Amino acid sequence: MLLTTILVAAAASVPALAAVPSLHVPACPAKGSISYDKSVPDLAPFPRTQVDLCYDKSAIHITFTAHNETNFFVNPNFTTNDPIFEFTAMETFISRGTNDPQTYLEFEVAPNNVTFQAFIYNPSKVRAAGAPFDTFFVATPIVDGLTAVTTVDKPKGLWTSSARIPLGFFNVDDGQAKGTRWRMNFFRIITAPSTFPAQFYGAWNPTPGPANFHQTPEFGDITFV
Ligand SMILES: *[C@@H]1O[C@H](CO)[C@@H](O)[C@H](O)[C@H]1NC(C)=O
Ligand SMILES: *[C@@H]1O[C@H](CO)[C@@H](O)[C@H](O)[C@H]1NC(C)=O
Ligand SMILES: *[C@@H]1O[C@H](CO)[C@@H](O)[C@H](O)[C@H]1NC(C)=O
């Protein structure tokens, strides 16, 4: 009787588990792939965006592919860790483990190959108003082995960036990635000179409410197999 009461009370106090998408990621050169074509937050049609992932001994390899890009609009003055998210970018947020993270890597790349990389401390997990929200920049990404190679094909409306993200950023030692579990989401930002600073957003797992990518309960489940 007591046990039943406790179980009912526990069930009542635990919010329904949100169904987040999941992906199995193999060792390179095989790849795990996702694509998305819905906007945030309206779930309107959004240009198709693909992400291919694999891991090797010492890094996560992520290839971002943006279809139907029309403007490729960037701020040419921006360099490493400038706010490229104000213009055109593709992004991932990455945390090792299975819980909704408070701290995670934010990695972004723009069509001109400029990157933004920082660990975010977001203890409210949703960037709640008034809660701490801190940014720890990765100061020397290339020295660390965090790199991107970007190609742009304007006639085809296509841009692609292949990023290498060190496993050591997440305390995964060389050769130990198989079997590790992760939470990640993927995003794309589109803007144009005619509409700037307004932006159009897409996500693998769209975040609810006013556009705010920093909602970690929405991060998908990733397993390195
Ligand atoms: C994307 O581009 C393809 C090929 O050019 C085209 O067929 C398709 O309609 C476009 N989709 C959107 C959403 O613009
Ligand atoms: C880049 O810098 C130049 C020189 O300061 C400036 O004229 C230009 O407006 C800047 N571009 C953008 C997009 O901010
Ligand atoms: C882009 O930046 C990376 C470093 O992150 C560099 O290795 C690469 O040569 C750059 N150029 C292109 C076209 O990707």
Side-chain angles (χ1 to χ4, degrees):
M1 189 63 188
L2 181 60
L3 183 61
T4 307
T5 309
I6 292 169
L7 284 177
V8 168
S13 66
V14 175
L17 274 181
V20 297
S22 62
L23 178 70
H24 282 185
V25 170
C28 304
K31 289 181 191 310
S33 299
I34 57 112
S35 73
Y36 54 90
D37 58 5
K38 294 279 186 298
S39 75
V40 173
D42 302 329
L43 307 181
F46 185 82
R48 191 162 65 84
T49 309
Q50 184 169 332
V51 185
D52 301 295
L53 295 105
C54 65
Y55 65 88
D56 66 13
K57 182 167 171 273
S58 56
I60 307 170
H61 295 266
I62 305 181
T63 299
F64 302 89
T65 303
H67 296 271
N68 297 80
E69 188 78 48
T70 50
N71 286 283
F72 301 87
F73 184 44
V74 298
N75 183 330
N77 301 331
F78 279 176
T79 182
T80 304
N81 290 339
D82 282 337
I84 59 175
F85 46 81
E86 295 171 356
F87 290 79
T88 302
M90 288 191 279
E91 319 186 352
T92 181
F93 292 8
I94 302 177
S95 160
R96 184 186 168 198
T98 56
N99 60 317
D100 302 338
Q102 300 184 46
T103 299
Y104 45 90
L105 179 71
E106 175 171 351
F107 172 81
E108 306 183 6
V109 61
N112 62 350
N113 200 41
V114 172
T115 61
F116 171 101
Q117 44 274 302
F119 282 87
I120 304 296
Y121 178 54
N122 172 15
S124 75
K125 305 187 177 185
V126 294
R127 196 177 195 169
F133 184 85
D134 208 352
T135 304
F136 316 134
F137 288 104
V138 176
T140 57
I142 295 174
V143 174
D144 298 345
L146 174 50
T147 55
V149 175
T150 306
T151 58
V152 168
D153 185 338
K154 288 192 175 174
K156 284 194 173 140
L158 192 70
W159 69 280
T160 298
S161 190
S162 294
R164 176 192 189 279
I165 300 177
L167 285 164
F169 274 27
F170 308 95
N171 292 312
V172 176
D173 289 332
D174 278 3
Q176 300 299 309
K178 188 182 175 77
T180 53
R181 298 192 60 188
W182 304 76
R183 298 291 299 278
M184 302 185 193
N185 207 349
F186 302 96
F187 307 98
R188 176 173 170 193
I189 301 173
I190 296 174
T191 185
S194 57
T195 51
F196 186 82
Q199 295 181 312
F200 192 33
Y201 305 107
W204 179 35
N205 194 29
T207 50
N212 163 20
F213 292 167
H214 293 272
Q215 301 188 43
T216 78
E218 309 307 325
F219 290 13
D221 285 315
I222 308 266
T223 305
F224 286 4
V225 297

